[in-house]
């Protein structure tokens, strides 16, 4: 106990610059509960916004209201006592006596320290409970008649269940403080060494954080076992919260540790690769950049490619999006930007080619030649699409091949039979892992030119499958 005595002396002789209010309640040793039999009939009343002072406990408070400062000054000079009581609504700036709780605690001022912001830090030592009665005056601060409220009897002496209750309270409190990182380890030893159950309850209620209404209920309760039961409910609730909080922090820490470990390993791998002759990903990015310089694409396309390439260079190789973005950049580089086949618009040659490849089909060949004639005259025919229909084997696909040969363009046949998802035609969204380009883009890349003749074969199968799927969905 000698260390504790030195600690309290240090507090009593501390200057304002030495104050650490966060640890004050823990460093001051337990003081005994004293009852003043010669209690005056009336005492000054000080209201607390968000705390409750218990008998025997030491509590540091910050005083900022003018009439509270005047009260502290008068009480300090006369070395008299005052009553500390919680106000019902913490938002009330100047509460009257009706806005205060009925039960308060008689206290003495241990020390007053002025803070740089103009407020005062006051260390209070509670002694006994009182009931606040009729108001005498409210100028310059509230004074009221008070009546001593005796402490309840300690029923743990004669009751085995009450004794077990206080033992449970003591152990649960120690367990809670061990889970609280800001609590000094000496607190657990201090709680175990408190023999007086009255002070144990008051000490625990002072040093755990819970609602003012619940603290006031503990103070006003006239049964010691009931006080302990109230505190045990609060502590068990706090224990559950701390366990959940610790579990969340543990999971978050594991995730952060895993990310940090992966980052460190990747950095080490990059360093080793640089020492051995360069980083493969940096070399890949540089290769992409050199290939992009040879492309005949527009300014807008170049900006998109450069932006995505910069994002790719900063991306972790193990990231799920890495492969998708790499595939996207490679498709952009493989597409035939600016490469077009020069059209041969000789209609006589086209007719000879069609007659050589197909016997009959005069109306079909005539319609194709009309279409080519309009394309030759207009020069730019948007959406030049012809629909060829008929049973299998009559020459629809070979007609398209003949047109491509007559014009001097590449020929692409794309079968649409068996498709169940339009994404297979137009491509997947890049938000999906493993997104791939559609068949149209793939065929343009394979053709090597931007203007091949496309044959979309068996397009009726797409309609039939889509219709069946819709009808099946309705039936389900």
């Amino acid at each position: 106990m000698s260390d504790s005595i030195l600690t309290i002396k240090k507090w009593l002789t501390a200057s304002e610059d030495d104050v650490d209010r966060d640890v004050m309640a823990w460093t001051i040793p337990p003081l005994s509960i004293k009852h003043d039999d010669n209690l005056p009939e009336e005492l000054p009343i000080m209201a607390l916004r968000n705390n409750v002072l218990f008998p025997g406990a030491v509590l540091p408070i910050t005083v900022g209201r003018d009439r509270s400062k005047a009260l502290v000054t008068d009480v300090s000079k006369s070395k008299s006592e005052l009553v500390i009581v919680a106000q019902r609504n913490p938002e009330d700036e100047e509460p009257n006596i009706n806005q205060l709780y009925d039960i308060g605690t008689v206290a003495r001022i241990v020390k007053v320290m002025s803070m740089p912001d103009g407020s005062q830090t006051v260390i209070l030592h509670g002694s006994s409970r009182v009931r606040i009665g009729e108001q005498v005056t409210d100028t310059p601060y509230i004074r009221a008649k008070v009546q001593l409220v005796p402490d309840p009897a300690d029923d743990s002496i004669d009751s085995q269940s009450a004794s077990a209750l206080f033992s449970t309270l003591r152990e649960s409190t120690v367990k809670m403080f061990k889970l609280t990182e800001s609590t000094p380890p000496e607190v657990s030893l201090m709680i175990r060494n408190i023999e007086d159950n009255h002070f144990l309850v008051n000490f625990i209620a002072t040093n755990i954080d819970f609602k003012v209404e619940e603290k006031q209920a503990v103070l006003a309760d006239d049964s010691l076992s009931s006080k302990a039961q109230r505190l045990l409910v609060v502590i068990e609730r706090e224990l559950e919260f701390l366990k959940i909080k610790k579990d969340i922090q543990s999971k978050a820490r594991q995730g952060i540790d895993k990310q940090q470990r992966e980052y460190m390993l990747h950095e080490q791998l990059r360093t080793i690769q640089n020492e051995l002759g360069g980083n493969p990903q940096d070399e890949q990015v540089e290769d992409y950049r050199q290939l992009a310089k040879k492309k005949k694409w527009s300014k807008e396309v170049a900006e998109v490619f450069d932006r995505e390439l910069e994002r790719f260079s900063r991306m972790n190789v193990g990231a799920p999006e890495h492969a998708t973005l790499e595939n996207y950049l490679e498709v952009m580089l493989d597409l035939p930007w600016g490469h077009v086949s020069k059209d041969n618009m000789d209609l006589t040659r086209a007719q000879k080619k069609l007659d050589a490849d197909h016997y009959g089909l005069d109306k079909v060949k005539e319609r194709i030649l009309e279409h080519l004639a309009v394309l030759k005259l207009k020069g730019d025919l948007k959406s030049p699409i012809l629909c060829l229909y008929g049973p299998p084997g009559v020459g629809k696909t070979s007609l398209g091949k003949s047109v491509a040969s007559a014009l001097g363009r590449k020929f692409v046949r794309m079968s649409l039979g068996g498709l169940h998802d339009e994404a297979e035609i137009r491509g997947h969204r890049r938000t999906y892992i493993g997104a791939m380009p559609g068949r149209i883009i793939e065929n343009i890349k394979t053709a090597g030119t931007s203007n091949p003749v496309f044959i979309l074969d068996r397009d009726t199968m797409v309609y039939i499958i889509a219709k069946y799927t819709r009808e099946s969905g309705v039936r389900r």
Side-chain angles (χ1 to χ4, degrees):
M1 187 61 72
S2 58
D3 293 339
S4 299
I5 295 174
L6 290 175
T7 305
I8 189 65
K9 287 182 178 179
K10 179 181 177 181
W11 274 110
L12 294 175
T13 58
S15 64
E16 287 85 350
D17 296 334
D18 297 330
V19 176
D20 186 356
R21 282 171 284 181
D22 292 336
V23 299
M24 187 179 295
W26 297 122
T27 54
I28 296 179
L31 303 176
S32 59
I33 302 176
K34 297 180 180 179
H35 301 289
D36 192 351
D37 296 333
N38 299 321
L39 187 70
E41 291 185 0
E42 62 181 64
L43 284 173
I45 310 295
M46 177 186 287
L48 295 186
R49 290 182 187 272
N50 51 12
N51 212 336
V52 175
L53 176 64
F54 287 84
V58 175
L59 180 69
I61 64 170
T62 300
V63 178
R65 292 184 279 210
D66 292 336
R67 67 179 184 179
S68 295
K69 289 181 180 179
L71 189 156
V72 169
T73 301
D74 292 347
V75 172
S76 298
K77 288 180 180 178
S78 62
K79 296 183 179 180
S80 57
E81 296 174 318
L82 72 160
V83 175
I84 303 297
V85 62
Q87 58 190 64
R88 298 180 185 273
N89 185 3
E91 301 298 328
D92 293 334
E93 187 61 32
E94 297 292 340
N96 56 46
I97 196 168
N98 295 322
Q99 294 171 320
L100 306 177
Y101 285 103
D102 297 334
I103 302 296
T105 303
V106 177
R108 290 186 178 275
I109 296 178
V110 178
K111 188 173 180 63
V112 179
M113 292 169 285
S114 298
M115 297 290 107
D117 60 357
S119 63
Q120 293 178 323
T121 294
V122 181
I123 303 176
L124 301 171
H125 176 213
S127 60
S128 56
R129 298 186 302 164
V130 291
R131 187 179 302 277
I132 300 173
E134 182 182 354
Q135 177 177 299
V136 176
T137 181
D138 61 354
T139 306
Y141 41 79
I142 299 176
R143 293 184 65 91
K145 294 182 178 180
V146 295
Q147 181 182 0
L148 183 67
V149 178
D151 285 334
D154 186 354
D155 46 5
S156 65
I157 300 174
D158 301 325
S159 173
Q160 189 174 1
S161 60
S163 178
L165 173 64
F166 287 103
S167 177
T168 304
L169 175 64
R170 184 178 281 104
E171 295 303 321
S172 296
T173 306
V174 171
K175 188 185 302 182
M176 181 189 70
F177 286 144
K178 284 183 178 179
L179 291 175
T180 307
E181 296 178 357
S182 59
T183 305
E186 295 82 4
V187 175
S188 299
L189 181 62
M190 187 184 300
I191 292 175
R192 286 195 174 97
N193 289 335
I194 297 177
E195 298 179 356
D196 184 82
N197 288 333
H198 288 95
F199 185 75
L200 176 67
V201 168
N202 293 338
F203 182 79
I204 293 174
T206 300
N207 291 292
I208 61 175
D209 187 20
F210 59 109
K211 295 180 181 179
V212 174
E213 295 83 358
E214 294 177 318
K215 283 195 174 187
Q216 184 65 33
V218 173
L219 177 67
D221 203 320
D222 289 327
S223 169
L224 192 58
S225 294
S226 180
K227 288 174 181 282
Q229 190 65 50
R230 290 177 184 271
L231 286 177
L232 197 56
V233 171
V234 173
I235 291 170
E236 291 298 330
R237 183 178 65 204
E238 185 68 15
L239 270 174
E240 189 65 27
F241 171 78
L242 290 172
K243 288 177 182 177
I244 295 174
K245 181 179 177 182
K246 187 176 181 180
D247 185 51
I248 293 173
Q249 291 175 343
S250 176
K251 291 179 180 178
R253 192 178 297 111
Q254 288 176 0
I256 294 173
D257 292 343
K258 182 180 180 181
Q259 292 176 0
Q260 290 177 342
R261 181 174 178 272
E262 291 178 353
Y263 174 77
M264 291 177 63
L265 289 174
H266 284 301
E267 288 298 318
Q268 291 175 3
L269 179 61
R270 181 175 296 182
T271 303
I272 294 172
Q273 290 170 342
N274 290 335
E275 291 293 331
L276 293 175
N279 189 339
Q281 182 166 345
D282 293 341
E283 294 177 359
Q284 185 181 15
V285 170
E286 185 59 30
D287 291 342
Y288 286 169
R289 190 171 281 113
Q290 294 302 323
L291 290 173
K293 291 180 180 179
K294 302 176 183 179
K295 291 296 177 181
K296 299 177 182 180
W297 48 29
S298 65
K299 182 181 178 181
E300 292 78 7
V301 175
E303 289 177 353
V304 171
F305 181 84
D306 292 339
R307 184 175 65 248
E308 296 298 328
L309 183 61
E310 182 65 24
R311 192 161 70 94
F312 177 75
S313 66
R314 299 193 305 267
M315 187 174 293
N316 191 325
V317 179
E321 195 182 353
H322 182 272
T324 303
L325 186 55
E326 182 181 16
N327 186 39
Y328 176 78
L329 294 173
E330 289 181 352
V331 169
M332 287 191 70
L333 291 171
D334 290 340
L335 287 175
W337 301 93
H339 293 281
V340 294
S341 301
K342 188 176 180 180
D343 290 336
N344 186 349
M345 303 304 294
D346 188 345
L347 298 181
T348 303
R349 178 176 177 275
Q351 184 173 7
K352 289 181 179 180
K353 181 65 178 173
L354 290 172
D355 289 339
D357 292 344
H358 299 84
Y359 178 79
L361 300 176
D362 295 333
K363 291 185 177 180
V364 177
K365 289 187 285 188
E366 182 181 354
R367 178 68 188 91
I368 291 174
L369 290 173
E370 288 176 355
H371 186 83
L372 294 177
V374 172
L375 180 62
K376 180 179 179 180
L377 291 173
K378 194 172 187 334
D380 181 20
L381 184 62
K382 293 184 178 180
S383 302
I385 299 175
L386 289 175
C387 178
L388 304 175
Y389 66 94
V394 298
K396 299 186 295 299
T397 303
S398 57
L399 274 171
K401 192 172 183 179
S402 298
V403 171
S405 177
L407 293 176
R409 293 192 184 188
K410 296 284 186 174
F411 173 73
V412 173
R413 175 184 177 273
M414 191 171 74
S415 177
L416 302 181
L419 292 183
H420 296 271
D421 187 0
E422 70 275 8
E424 295 186 41
I425 300 176
R426 60 173 175 78
H428 298 86
R429 294 181 182 272
R430 285 175 53 203
T431 52
Y432 298 123
I433 302 299
M436 297 292 291
R439 291 194 182 185
I440 294 178
I441 295 296
E442 285 289 350
N443 283 310
I444 290 176
K445 184 175 70 173
T446 303
T449 61
S450 298
N451 62 340
V453 174
F454 260 89
I455 286 290
L456 304 181
D457 201 4
R458 301 183 69 187
D459 59 336
T460 54
M461 293 299 297
V462 177
Y463 168 75
I464 293 171
I465 293 170
K467 181 180 178 182
Y468 175 77
T469 303
R470 287 195 300 270
E471 290 177 354
S472 298
V474 171
R475 282 196 293 267
R476 282 196 294 267

